[in-house]
Amino acid sequence: AKILQGIPSTKLAEGVPTLQAVHHLQEIHQLDRPICNCLYQILFENQDAKKGLDTLFSRPLKSEFSREI
């Protein structure tokens, strides 16, 4: 993929507006969404894609349901 090679794309990919909306909601509600954060940083904050994915995949495992519902 071009983005992994550092080549910018001029095409708007499906899901980009949704990613922006999710990021906005994450900030308002203080949610931890590491995959969305990683993608947002790559697309909008010029994060190196390989570095971002390496960081994402090296996160320690945790229960996604640590809070009682």
Side-chain angles (χ1 to χ4, degrees):
K2 290 182 179 183
I3 194 167
L4 293 177
Q5 298 170 353
I7 302 169
S9 175
T10 59
K11 297 180 182 179
L12 180 63
E14 182 179 337
V16 170
T18 303
L19 181 61
Q20 290 173 305
V22 168
H23 181 74
H24 178 70
L25 291 172
Q26 280 179 193
E27 289 182 333
I28 291 172
H29 299 287
Q30 299 178 345
L31 302 172
D32 182 28
R33 299 291 179 256
I35 295 172
C36 293
N37 284 340
C38 178
L39 292 173
Y40 187 88
Q41 290 169 350
I42 291 167
L43 294 177
F44 299 106
E45 297 177 353
N46 297 318
Q47 166 78 294
D48 177 72
K50 183 174 182 339
K51 182 179 177 183
L53 292 173
D54 286 346
T55 300
L56 177 65
F57 292 129
S58 64
R59 287 171 44 99
L61 295 177
K62 68 175 192 170
S63 173
E64 295 298 327
F65 300 101
S66 59
R67 293 185 282 157
E68 290 186 33
I69 298 175

